[in-house]
Amino acid sequence: MRAGESGEVVDMLTVEQIENGTVIDHIPPGKGLAVLTILHIGADFKGRAALVMNVPSKRMGRKDIVKVEGVFIDEKNVDRVALIAPQATLNIIKGGKVSGKNKVELPTEVSGVFVCPNPKCVTNHEDVETHFTHSKRGLCCRHCERCFSPEELAK
Amino acid sequence: MKDLVSIRDVDKKQATAIFKLADEMDSKSAPRKLAGKVLSTLFFEPSTRTRLSFHTAAARLGISLLDIESVGDSSIVKGESLVDTIKIVDGYADCIVLRHPLEGSARLAADLAEHPVINAGDGGNQHPTQTLIDLYTINRLKKKVGGLRVSLVGDLKYARTMHSLLYGLAMFGAEITLVSPASLQMDNAFIEDVKEQFGAKVRASNDMNFRDCDVLYVCRIQKERFADPYEAVRLQQEFRITLDSLKGAKDDIIILHPLPKVDEIAPEVDKSEKVRYFEQARYGVPVRMAILSDIMG
């Protein structure tokens, strides 16, 4: 056992350090795959990526961790991660060291990030940016006024 | 108001001002004060009452109409985007009335156009001028909306009229009973929303008893929503308004309907003095005159 980029003790057998890239820590257990999906890291991704599931965590009991070599996620993708992993921590790794550490925050408004799941919404038919506002009804589309859960939007 | 896209954009004060203006417009001496203005009515879906009443309202105010007779006559069939159509028409008209099958189309148009946009129905989403007509009718006939017991009957799941009306009634403080088949109940998110925003009193029921009801608002059950057409017919019979279902109702109950009605109200009910939906349809003109005056004046 040794300290990983996230600062917590992780299992050497399953997690390898990365030189440059992003480590997303404190993902709710079972949501790591969804995080990879919303970051569009799938079969076409040519870099190195790791998903570690159900790692013991002092804060969360269990958690998932995602590591992606050579990718520094931008603000839009931070918003996407925040929807399904609102407690997540982003660690930017440069030269094998943690150069930046940020907690994601659930945004109150998200523009141009998500596709509206309503097939009849005008944003799916015209060249227009989507805009969702967070409310108690969920994330509500400014155009069609329908509200969705974070999971529905992150699909 | 700059635009009228959603009933959610209208507050109680603005709605009340529209009601007052509609009363003035309904008098014989309503001024043709918008002469010289041009209104474009873009209807990408069929409409009878909404289109005709907008045209009548415009004519009475002296407004000239710029109308596409049918989508088949327009550039839409050549593949022109809604975005382009709105930008072009915005250059010709002082105001755009839009009906379009896509939800959110009116919001998009309002964002794009420099001139005001009035939503005349965007798919299953909003039809705010209809909601204002419904609220105006109730207010005019019952002298108030707040505190009235209003029953909404029929397809509460898919009918856009009912979603918007629930919001409007809650905003004015009416007590609302939702009467529908279990499979056509209103989405709980709409109910929770008005409870949270307005502290609205809303309850669901499948009981066709209107003993305590002041306003009965009916809409049709759409057969096309059912895989089994017989199921739709069966439910329509069960939730049909007949003279029998009105037994025990208050003498001064009023029955409203956005029209067109098909078989959700028995023909013999049409003769009842409780029926006010033809009057409600007529109020479409003064209310739309008031909206046009407010927005284009």
Side-chain angles (χ1 to χ4, degrees):
Chain A
M1 307 284 272
R2 62 170 172 73
E5 295 92 340
S6 63
E8 290 201 27
V9 176
V10 293
D11 188 337
M12 268 181 71
L13 289 176
T14 52
V15 182
E16 193 178 330
Q17 270 194 320
I18 57 174
E19 275 297 301
N20 294 291
T22 307
V23 175
I24 306 170
D25 196 4
H26 299 110
I27 301 168
K31 299 281 188 186
L33 197 56
V35 169
L36 281 175
T37 304
I38 64 168
L39 295 176
H40 302 300
I41 293 169
D44 295 339
F45 184 67
K46 302 298 181 200
R48 291 197 309 159
L51 162 63
V52 190
M53 298 178 76
N54 297 316
V55 179
S57 162
K58 282 180 191 166
R59 195 202 304 174
M60 302 171 68
R62 287 188 176 276
K63 65 180 181 179
D64 287 3
I65 301 173
V66 160
K67 293 182 164 200
V68 189
E69 179 83 54
V71 172
F72 301 99
I73 74 170
D74 60 18
E75 202 172 302
K76 279 189 176 180
N77 279 327
V78 171
D79 286 349
R80 294 161 70 97
V81 170
L83 280 181
I84 54 169
Q87 310 289 321
T89 315
L90 288 178
N91 301 291
I92 305 301
I93 311 297
K94 288 184 178 165
K97 292 181 179 171
V98 178
S99 75
K101 196 165 187 163
N102 296 299
K103 288 193 79 171
V104 300
E105 277 184 39
L106 198 57
T108 51
E109 293 192 6
V110 194
S111 295
V113 177
F114 300 105
V115 171
C116 182
N118 173 11
K120 288 183 180 172
C121 179
V122 72
T123 58
N124 290 314
H125 300 266
E126 296 278 335
D127 185 17
V128 56
E129 192 174 69
T130 60
H131 186 93
F132 291 88
T133 305
H134 205 264
S135 79
K136 286 195 175 172
R137 289 195 299 152
L139 281 133
C140 301
C141 174
R142 179 169 181 274
H143 289 90
C144 71
E145 302 188 16
R146 297 202 184 199
C147 302
F148 305 94
S149 67
E151 287 76 13
E152 284 176 296
L153 278 192
K155 274 179 189 168
Chain B
M1 285 190 287
K2 191 257 176 187
D3 304 294
L4 179 54
V5 172
S6 167
I7 195 66
R8 292 174 178 276
D9 299 338
V10 181
D11 62 26
K12 198 172 160 182
K13 194 175 161 192
Q14 287 170 317
T16 306
I18 291 289
F19 300 165
K20 190 164 175 258
L21 200 50
D23 283 339
E24 290 170 26
M25 294 294 162
D26 203 26
S27 68
K28 286 177 185 167
S29 56
R32 295 167 63 88
K33 62 177 186 177
L34 293 175
K37 297 268 186 181
V38 176
L39 175 71
S40 178
T41 48
L42 300 178
F43 280 73
F44 292 82
E45 276 189 327
S47 164
T48 307
R49 281 154 303 280
T50 305
R51 188 182 186 129
L52 290 180
S53 62
F54 261 117
H55 286 193
T56 308
R60 289 194 180 156
L61 290 166
I63 300 169
S64 302
L65 277 175
L66 190 60
D67 189 36
I68 297 175
E69 287 297 324
S70 76
V71 172
D73 299 335
S74 73
S75 298
I76 312 304
V77 288
K78 298 174 191 165
E80 186 177 62
S81 69
L82 177 64
V83 168
D84 284 1
T85 304
I86 295 298
K87 284 179 180 170
I88 299 296
V89 175
D90 188 38
Y92 302 153
D94 299 303
C95 178
I96 298 170
V97 171
L98 177 69
R99 171 170 287 191
H100 196 280
L102 291 176
E103 296 172 13
S105 50
R107 181 71 67 195
L108 172 63
D111 288 345
L112 290 168
E114 282 185 24
H115 292 105
V117 170
I118 299 172
N119 185 3
D122 59 334
N125 183 31
Q126 284 278 332
H127 193 359
T129 61
Q130 179 65 51
T131 308
L132 287 171
I133 292 161
D134 297 341
L135 294 170
Y136 173 78
T137 305
I138 295 170
N139 191 58
R140 179 156 169 165
L141 298 179
K142 305 296 278 184
K143 310 295 176 208
K144 62 177 183 175
V145 178
L148 290 178
R149 290 179 174 172
V150 183
S151 290
L152 306 184
V153 182
D155 175 358
L156 306 185
K157 189 177 178 69
Y158 299 108
R160 66 180 167 204
T161 311
M162 295 304 207
H163 298 159
S164 304
L165 185 57
L166 173 79
Y167 187 92
L169 289 169
M171 179 167 74
F172 275 91
E175 290 181 31
I176 306 144
T177 303
L178 304 172
V179 185
S180 69
S183 57
L184 294 175
Q185 280 179 352
M186 192 173 286
D187 188 338
N188 208 38
F190 288 104
I191 301 168
E192 290 306 314
D193 181 42
V194 296
K195 281 185 178 174
E196 187 189 315
Q197 274 207 58
F198 305 113
K201 290 180 185 169
V202 186
R203 70 180 189 95
S205 164
N206 57 6
D207 186 4
M208 290 288 284
N209 181 333
F210 306 110
R211 203 170 296 132
D212 299 321
C213 179
D214 298 304
V215 180
L216 178 55
Y217 194 105
V218 188
C219 79
R220 79 186 170 99
I221 290 174
Q222 300 172 47
K223 292 188 179 70
E224 58 270 26
R225 302 285 186 195
F226 289 81
D228 175 6
Y230 176 71
E231 177 67 1
V233 172
R234 190 186 68 76
L235 288 174
Q236 189 62 85
Q237 287 302 315
E238 195 180 329
F239 287 85
R240 192 171 193 233
I241 304 299
T242 61
L243 289 178
D244 252 8
S245 64
L246 293 172
K247 276 182 185 165
K250 288 182 179 177
D251 287 342
D252 62 349
I253 187 175
I254 59 170
I255 305 172
L256 303 179
H257 191 299
L259 302 179
K261 66 183 174 66
V262 186
D263 49 7
E264 57 275 26
I265 298 178
E268 65 266 23
V269 177
D270 275 354
K271 293 172 193 154
S272 162
E273 60 186 18
K274 298 176 169 64
V275 161
R276 307 303 281 270
Y277 31 78
F278 298 113
E279 203 172 338
Q280 176 189 6
R282 189 185 75 73
Y283 292 149
V285 174
V287 173
R288 289 188 168 113
M289 285 173 79
I291 292 165
L292 290 174
S293 292
D294 183 71
I295 285 179
M296 296 178 76

